[in-house]
Amino acid sequence: MSRIANPTRIDPALGAALDAGALSLVLLIPTLVALWIDGRTLHDISVWIKPMKFQLSLTIHWLTIACLLPVLSAACRRSTATTGLLRIAALCSVIEVLYITLQAARGRQSHFNTDTPIESLMYYGVMGPAAVFIVLATAWLGWQMLRRPTPEASRGLAFGAGLGLLLAGLSTLIVTVPLASGAVGGAGHWVGGLRSDADGLPLVGWSRSGGDLRVPHFFATHLMQVLPLVGWCADRCRWIRPRRWVAVVAVAGLALIASTLHQALRGAPFIGIAGQHGKSVAAYGSPIEATAASVVPDLLPGAATAASRDGG
């Protein structure tokens, strides 16, 4: 990013991204203290785990956007549309993180909670639209970076930044539909297995007894960091055709998202003991093999019998 000229003043759009990220980061401090001293639990883990994850995630989200904004041309970056869009998205982020933190302090669920009219309104009428706006704003910003990058931006970084934000926004929106609607496996991120977070994978907390819709959501969201980093590395290392490297990683990322979403919908854990629907992704050589192994028996009825006979 050193080839991109630094602006002499902070653009309003950049200021909005930095403010939203800073607020999430500041909230993380008292949350960590509360995590240490408060013994209350929700879904068998501390009530403060969820706000901690969201605060950290939104901090990374907005700092990523702040770092990538200089890739956008100065005229587009300082335009009314970009400034207004990011200010609204930042406000949505603030509302989300404050409500999630407040609900943790009350010992209540922030998501999938319709116990009271106010909580139902907050989930369906405020948090849902706010989350959709944030990911759509991210996708729109990526599209603008692809169309109107600054001339100073290197080719790999410009392409990685634009494609990363665009695909992260769109794929996150797609995988959020079954996650937020509760149409698959009922309210919550679980599909089969134990409806508890007590024995989840370290750090991420993903279920090891059944499908977990947070897995594809995680990979979709973090395309916005991975693809710009690949583009930047391709530029710095002077790889031939840096855009091709970004495109290859993007395809691999989308395949990973699709395969983990399919596995979660079938009730299989990402890593853990396979449930009745099949193996986890980790049991296969690659995500693509996992998807093929789960799709082929559905398309070819005889394949399931043969696989069972051969010990598959």
Side-chain angles (χ1 to χ4, degrees):
M1 297 185 188
S2 58
R3 293 177 58 187
I4 303 175
N6 293 323
T8 57
R9 63 182 178 84
I10 295 181
D11 298 321
L14 178 58
L18 290 175
D19 288 344
L23 177 63
S24 297
L25 183 60
V26 168
L27 284 174
L28 186 59
I29 299 173
T31 297
L32 290 174
V33 175
L35 178 65
W36 182 48
I37 64 177
D38 189 349
R40 292 176 299 161
T41 62
L42 189 64
H43 300 312
D44 304 317
I45 60 173
S46 172
V47 296
W48 295 102
I49 292 293
K50 192 181 194 74
M52 180 189 71
K53 287 183 176 180
F54 269 82
Q55 291 156 6
L56 182 60
S57 176
L58 287 171
T59 297
I60 295 173
H61 176 92
W62 286 110
L63 290 182
T64 300
I65 288 181
C67 289
L68 297 180
L69 267 176
V71 171
L72 199 58
S73 67
C76 185
R77 188 173 65 244
R78 296 167 183 167
S79 67
T80 302
T82 301
T83 300
L85 199 72
L86 285 188
R87 280 177 171 171
I88 296 173
L91 177 61
C92 291
S93 174
V94 169
I95 293 172
E96 289 254 334
V97 75
L98 286 178
Y99 180 68
I100 292 169
T101 305
L102 173 63
Q103 287 295 88
R106 298 177 63 228
R108 304 278 295 172
Q109 287 188 163
S110 56
H111 292 68
F112 309 105
N113 187 351
T114 59
D115 291 345
T116 67
I118 293 179
E119 288 172 325
S120 181
L121 174 64
M122 286 299 300
Y123 182 56
Y124 288 109
V126 178
M127 294 186 66
V132 169
F133 192 91
I134 291 171
V135 296
L136 287 180
T138 302
W140 181 87
L141 190 62
W143 175 244
Q144 294 303 312
M145 287 182 181
L146 290 174
R147 294 178 60 245
R148 303 172 64 182
T150 182
E152 290 82 10
S154 54
R155 295 182 63 191
L157 175 60
F159 186 61
L163 192 64
L165 293 181
L166 177 63
L167 293 182
L170 294 180
S171 58
T172 298
L173 182 63
I174 292 172
V175 301
T176 298
V177 171
L179 174 60
S181 65
V184 181
H189 51 264
W190 308 280
V191 181
L194 301 175
R195 299 184 69 81
S196 170
D197 291 324
D199 194 32
L201 288 175
L203 298 180
V204 290
W206 299 336
S207 174
R208 293 193 288 183
S209 62
D212 196 323
L213 292 168
R214 295 175 300 178
V215 179
H217 185 274
F218 175 88
F219 291 122
T221 299
H222 290 293
L223 278 179
M224 66 184 294
Q225 286 89 32
V226 173
L227 296 188
L229 182 60
V230 171
W232 179 80
C233 289
D235 291 331
R236 295 283 294 181
C237 298
R238 301 184 183 278
W239 294 343
I240 299 175
R241 297 177 180 176
R243 292 186 179 185
R244 178 173 294 183
W245 288 96
V246 174
V248 168
V249 176
V251 171
L254 292 176
L256 178 62
I257 295 166
S259 63
T260 52
L261 175 61
H262 191 237
Q263 288 294 91
L265 292 175
R266 290 174 61 87
F270 180 66
I271 296 176
I273 299 175
Q276 62 180 353
H277 297 290
K279 299 179 182 179
S280 65
V281 171
Y284 293 91
S286 71
I288 296 177
E289 290 179 25
T291 301
S294 57
V295 171
V296 170
D298 293 338
L299 298 179
L300 304 175
T305 303
S308 175
R309 184 173 57 249
D310 295 338

